[in-house]
Amino acid sequence: SGQTILVNTGTQEDIGELKEFLKSQNINRIDHLILTLPTYENMGGAADLVDTMKVDKIYMPLVSLDNVMVENFFGVLMNKNQKLTQINKGDTIEVGRARIDILNVLNSETTNKTDASISFVLTLDEKSFLFTGDLEKNKQKEIRWPDVDVLKLGNSGKDQYVSEEIIRSAKPEYVIGANYNGKIDRNVENLINLVNTETSSNMEILKSTSKDIILLKCNGEEITVFQMPYPKKN
């Protein structure tokens, strides 16, 4: 419906390539920016993005992480007279034909900062996409995960961010792992293969690299998978 949702920005070093990719997709504004956890890997480029692009609503967990990156980000928000939009577990965000259902977020202090991470399901008509954010295994065990079509693994598909519960509950058609070398954790890959064998499932692992992007196009009834070169910053 002409709206754009961006989940995280990557590091400051990555922001040039991200903006080139958005440009290649004819995206010149972000309607919903979801920063799953205020870490450098997730939002190191957020200050630059918000400063140079039109961004409407911004969501992030309200946990304190004192560092220069967060200070710079809030400095840009102050200069642009922009505020965060607070969300809570159980909230729904309507985005045209799609909706976002928030499965996890903490807006208070916690011993393990990753427990505060935003995790959500994006649903477009008959198809659904699960983003786990930075939730680790122990926290994932507390959540009732829905059956989805696509699962985006947290933190490059590292073992500590992928529980057996989420693989068995979500039963996705596609599992996406992002890593510069095109690999996900061997334990995670073995787990997916085991569940495939035990349940006669056919979960397909898609891996992006430093050179290639996994691009999914969905019309609400079917999903088409593409792989394209990552646009390089000028």
Side-chain angles (χ1 to χ4, degrees), residues 35-190:
L35 302 170
T36 56
L37 195 69
T39 64
Y40 188 71
E41 291 78 12
N42 289 336
M43 58 169 289
D48 186 307
L49 184 85
V50 174
D51 193 37
T52 57
M53 285 188 70
K54 171 63 178 176
V55 180
D56 188 8
K57 294 184 178 180
I58 305 172
Y59 314 86
M60 64 182 290
L62 301 182
V63 292
S64 61
L65 288 176
D66 287 333
N67 55 50
V68 174
M69 175 201 69
V70 174
E71 291 178 4
N72 290 342
F73 176 68
F74 279 98
V76 170
L77 293 185
M78 289 182 62
N79 289 337
K80 297 179 74 71
N81 196 27
Q82 190 163 2
K83 297 180 179 180
L84 298 177
T85 299
Q86 183 173 335
I87 54 172
N88 299 288
K89 180 179 178 180
D91 283 356
T92 297
I93 304 169
E94 300 291 341
V95 188
R97 290 166 50 205
R99 75 172 189 273
I100 296 171
D101 293 302
I102 305 300
L103 302 179
N104 186 82
V105 63
L106 290 180
N107 295 311
S108 58
E109 294 308 313
T110 177
T111 304
N112 187 354
K113 297 293 185 181
T114 62
D115 287 353
S117 181
I118 298 175
S119 180
F120 67 93
V121 174
L122 170 69
T123 303
L124 176 64
D125 297 339
E126 300 175 8
K127 298 298 181 180
S128 53
F129 303 75
L130 173 57
F131 295 79
T132 62
D134 294 78
L135 291 185
E136 297 184 24
K137 283 183 175 180
N138 288 339
K139 186 64 176 179
Q140 288 183 10
K141 295 176 181 179
E142 301 176 9
I143 298 175
R144 185 175 180 180
W145 299 102
D147 192 336
V148 297
D149 298 282
V150 177
L151 168 61
K152 170 64 177 67
L153 298 177
N155 212 306
S156 302
K158 294 178 182 176
D159 182 57
Q160 72 187 88
Y161 296 92
V162 185
S163 65
E164 184 172 351
E165 287 81 3
I166 198 169
I167 295 297
R168 291 188 179 277
S169 297
K171 300 186 292 292
E173 180 179 0
Y174 299 107
V175 180
I176 301 179
N179 198 309
Y180 282 110
N181 60 14
K183 298 179 180 179
I184 63 173
D185 193 288
R186 180 175 295 179
N187 290 335
V188 174
E189 193 159 6
N190 289 341

